[in-house]
Amino acid sequence: GPQVGDPAVERQLVHLEVAGVQQRAGRGADEDGERIGDRVVDGDELAVEDPELLPVALTDREGVRRDPVLLELRLDEREGQLRPDERDVGLEAQEVGHRTDVVLVTVGEDDAGDPRAEPGDVLAVEILDVQLRQDWGWNMIKPLSGTLPDDFHETRILNIPLDRTRMVGRMPWGLDLPLKPFFGVMGVSPPPAWGRISSLVPRAMGGNIDNKELGAGATLYLPVFVPGAMFSCGDGHGVQGDGEVCITALETGLTGTFRLTVRKDLPGAWPFAETPTDLMSIGLHESLDEAMRQAVREMVRHVCDRTDLTRNQAYMLCSLAGNLRITQTVDGNKGVHMLMPKRALKPKRAL
């Protein structure tokens, strides 16, 4: 089968990219300065279809690439919301000033008739760069939420100053917490039969995956369910531990640069990812046990697709070399992922 990153396969791909989209400013321009869209939606929902979605700037037939997608996510500081000078406040004092805003991007045809993402394809989301765009973020606990919903009885919101030069967050007890920013929400439009659903629960279309491994240098592969895919992202995190146990990470504003590639050579109907060093399978389910089983089954399948190993051998390799981790336990469907070192995967022999 085709190998992720195989140059022989990559040369056959059509790269679909958009240039200069800026969230919240509501304005984008192509290389000639023409406005290409101003559609910004709240990240609480992923729409199945919308005639006002952003058009995109694509590569031409010779494969000349335009600038990758540039998306910006910021936190508001409007009246009545959390402000950067607030350090540790209760719900009665302030309300949370965070919105999981996203830009929806349609991967569609250009005037030359280049192909677009279609149902059955896979959208490869290369995360080229993720940067902090402000000097503060926050974390919150609240009753009846998180991994310990009955253990904490008071809502607390903690503001965390960010040092973008040193890439640390200063905790009030003196700890300089190393930052590793990533977008918690990345997804495509769900199947039309699902209607309009929340992005807060991660599913087959992606959404609120909250996987800390999906930072700069990683690639997320998402099944396409509607024409144009309708990629979206948001929910900026400065850093997060595996599990995101108290229900929030270090929530903050980010700027991200992505390359979107339509893969017509990767059959599959479930998200997966890769980092520079590992192949990653993803399990999502209300039951942590079932999410774990799905992550392992998916990795067995990926190993068999990419090597000459039998299914028995692939399962054994998962036990010997795979690293099973809890992604998050707070988003409705819990997440488990397995990291398989690429060095453990010997490619299929040529026929």
Side-chain angles (χ1 to χ4, degrees), residues 13-17 48-51 53-56 58-59 61 105-123 224-230 260-264:
L13 303 180
V14 179
H15 293 272
L16 311 178
E17 303 174 13
V48 172
E49 57 183 345
D50 193 320
L53 291 175
L54 289 172
V56 298
L58 307 181
T59 57
R61 289 186 179 274
V105 179
T106 301
V107 185
E109 292 184 357
D110 66 356
D111 294 337
D114 287 324
R116 65 177 179 178
E118 296 289 351
D121 294 341
V122 170
L123 185 68
V224 176
F225 297 107
V226 301
M230 294 171 59
L260 307 180
T261 304
V262 175
R263 299 290 300 253
K264 297 180 179 294

Side-chain angles (χ1 to χ4, degrees), residues 38-107:
D38 59 1
R39 179 67 173 170
V40 177
V41 300
D42 189 277
D44 284 345
E45 292 183 330
L46 294 177
V48 172
E49 57 183 345
D50 193 320
E52 300 179 10
L53 291 175
L54 289 172
V56 298
L58 307 181
T59 57
D60 60 25
R61 289 186 179 274
E62 285 69 42
V64 178
R65 298 182 182 180
R66 299 192 179 190
D67 292 337
V69 183
L70 175 64
L71 304 179
E72 291 193 349
L73 171 70
R74 72 181 66 185
L75 300 188
D76 292 337
E77 299 176 30
R78 292 174 290 190
E79 183 177 358
Q81 297 185 337
L82 184 67
R83 299 195 182 271
D85 56 351
E86 301 287 352
R87 291 294 176 262
D88 187 357
V89 296
L91 182 63
E92 62 280 359
Q94 298 285 341
E95 292 186 3
V96 179
H98 171 260
R99 295 175 62 199
T100 308
D101 286 342
V102 299
V103 174
L104 290 181
V105 179
T106 301
V107 185

Side-chain angles (χ1 to χ4, degrees), residues 109 164 191 236 285 305 319 335:
E109 292 184 357
R164 286 182 282 183
H285 199 276
D305 286 346
S319 188

Side-chain angles (χ1 to χ4, degrees), residues 116 119 177 186 212 229 232 243 270 279 285 331:
R116 65 177 179 178
L177 187 65
M186 290 184 285
K212 72 175 189 178
S232 61
W270 192 257
L279 182 66
H285 199 276
D331 293 333

